Amino acid sequence: MKSLRYAGVLGAGLAGVIALAAPMPVAAKDTVSLGIVAFLSGPAAGPYGVPGRNGAEMVIDAINKGTLPAPYGTKGFAGATVAAEYIDESGGNTKQVSEYRNLVQKRGVDAIIGYVSSGSCAAVAPVAEELQTLTVMSVCGTPRIFEEAPREYVFRTMSHATADNIAAAHYVKEMMPDVKSYTGINQNYAWGQDSWRDFSLAMTGLMPDAKVSDKPQFPKIFAGQYGSEISALSLDDAELVHSSFWGGDFEAFILQATPRGFFSQKKVVLTVGGVSAYRLGKRLPDGVAIGSRGPYGILVRDRDTPLNTWFIKTYRDTYGEYPSGAAYQYAQAILATKIAYDKAAEAAGSFPNEKQVREALTGLEFESFAAPVKMALGNGHQAVTEHMYGIVQWDEAAGELGLRDVKVYPAECVMPPADTTSVEWIEAGMPGAKC
């Protein structure tokens, strides 16, 4: 297991992965049209949807101009200009299915990219198969997407939530070895339920003497008010609190728990805390452990590679702030789709058809903006990456949020192998894990 401080994570794990060259093919199609789905309104818009849209928009602009750093500097998708239509993910699963059908059947898009919520992904995955449309999920975390059914048209270009929670358990064991009991607060739907299940199962294997509380909290998603849950957690004897809260729920929890001294009473590990780190700034309490769903956002701010340096500088120049995890994750999905189009065109010797693009994306390995990505699970449709955690520490001299005790966990340490499900692997003691 790699143990690196913040300044020591530069370029970690980047060697040894083949970066796919992207030659310029002759475009037989002028435009590739994309539907890009993200929360553009509601409590998830600020922390997730808007940065996600910005990351996608920035990278699409660079792709169309041919200004992405090498080896991705060719224009377009296989030479065709990319045209994007942005769709609001808010409104619930029924609305998302309706929006998906509209994008495919009425607007005729070539591919759909995006989705933050696991509920959205679970709802649209079978529709994508029914309508036979390339769909690249950029963020959503539930492992059920590829563990409960094979997919031909659906891909996900980042690790699923099992990695978040196994890495969190490893981090607790490493950084807080004296913890003797733990509980959690997670949203009451697939994402929150799966996250708590995977964390508590991993803790059972890694820290068997630590006692799990029988009173974990599961408030409704987007509830907004957590006074009763904060009281219940404060009265619980558990020393450590795990949470996969995200978006507005995460920020509301932090702002409501801080005045009550909650973060002085408890050790806390927040699997998605890094996504809101820049928005909260000094209001994110010192001493809490945060992840960002992989090598993204504040956890890779000092990673000094040409792609990451370009990504951070261009994002700051364009939007006036550091890119959060969501910006990276949407940009990564766009980049993977470009690479697949270019690779398929090179193999075909002409502009590729939809099936050729899917075949090129299946099992793809590529260098993304901050780390290598391997489409290693789900018959080559589910990505794996390394994972990272660190502890929040306000940098008074710099006047900005920083991290200490950053640790990197290889993908093979925190994601299950291809021949088993997440639950089966964790319950078996994570055999073959390479940490």
Side-chain angles (χ1 to χ4, degrees), residues 146-147 160 162 166 376-379 382 384 411-426 428-434:
F146 297 100
E147 291 187 349
H160 58 57
T162 294
I166 293 178
L377 304 182
N379 296 319
Q382 166 65 58
V384 302
E412 294 76 12
C413 175
V414 296
M415 286 286 277
D419 58 352
T420 187
T421 67
S422 298
V423 170
E424 291 170 345
W425 188 57
I426 302 171
M430 296 180 273
K434 298 176 181 176

Side-chain angles (χ1 to χ4, degrees), residues 182-236:
Y182 59 95
T183 186
I185 178 168
N186 293 280
Q187 295 145 320
N188 193 19
Y189 76 116
W191 163 260
Q193 295 160 3
D194 291 353
S195 293
W196 173 247
R197 177 201 65 199
D198 290 349
F199 178 74
S200 54
L201 283 174
M203 285 291 288
T204 299
L206 293 173
M207 299 183 71
D209 294 334
K211 179 183 176 185
V212 59
S213 170
D214 59 1
K215 298 175 183 176
Q217 303 295 306
F218 287 98
K220 184 179 177 181
I221 185 173
F222 300 151
Q225 297 295 324
Y226 303 102
S228 60
E229 287 84 3
I230 293 167
S231 296
L233 292 170
S234 297
L235 292 171
D236 194 315

Side-chain angles (χ1 to χ4, degrees), residues 223-306:
Q225 297 295 324
Y226 303 102
S228 60
E229 287 84 3
I230 293 167
S231 296
L233 292 170
S234 297
L235 292 171
D236 194 315
D237 290 336
E239 296 174 64
L240 174 81
V241 177
H242 160 277
S243 181
S244 62
F245 267 21
W246 59 276
D249 284 359
F250 173 80
E251 295 179 4
F253 175 72
I254 294 293
L255 297 179
Q256 293 167 28
T258 298
R260 299 176 63 169
F262 184 80
F263 298 102
S264 299
Q265 303 166 16
K266 303 286 186 181
K267 296 180 174 65
V268 180
V269 59
L270 306 165
T271 63
V272 195
V275 174
S276 289
Y278 292 133
R279 281 172 53 85
L280 289 174
K282 201 171 186 176
R283 294 175 294 175
L284 191 57
D286 276 5
V288 300
I290 61 170
S292 194
R293 303 226 45 231
Y296 311 110
I298 191 170
L299 283 149
V300 294
R301 190 171 70 199
D302 289 347
R303 185 164 279 186
D304 186 16
T305 67

Side-chain angles (χ1 to χ4, degrees), residues 3 10 15 20 50 52 55 73 80 89 109 126 194 240 287 290 330 333 388 420:
S3 299
L10 310 182
L20 297 168
V50 173
E89 192 178 343
V109 299
D194 291 353
L240 174 81
I290 61 170
Y330 270 76
M388 304 174 74
T420 187

Side-chain angles (χ1 to χ4, degrees), residues 9-88:
V9 300
L10 310 182
L14 295 180
V17 171
I18 298 173
L20 297 168
M24 174 73 79
V26 176
K29 183 175 180 178
D30 291 335
T31 303
V32 172
S33 60
L34 302 179
I36 298 179
V37 186
F39 284 102
L40 303 179
S41 64
Y48 250 113
V50 173
R53 174 203 161 112
N54 291 348
E57 187 177 61
M58 182 185 83
V59 170
I60 288 172
D61 181 63
I63 287 172
N64 284 337
K65 294 176 179 173
T67 57
L68 275 183
Y72 308 123
T74 56
K75 286 188 177 180
F77 282 9
T81 299
V82 180
E85 181 174 357
Y86 296 91
I87 304 298
D88 191 354

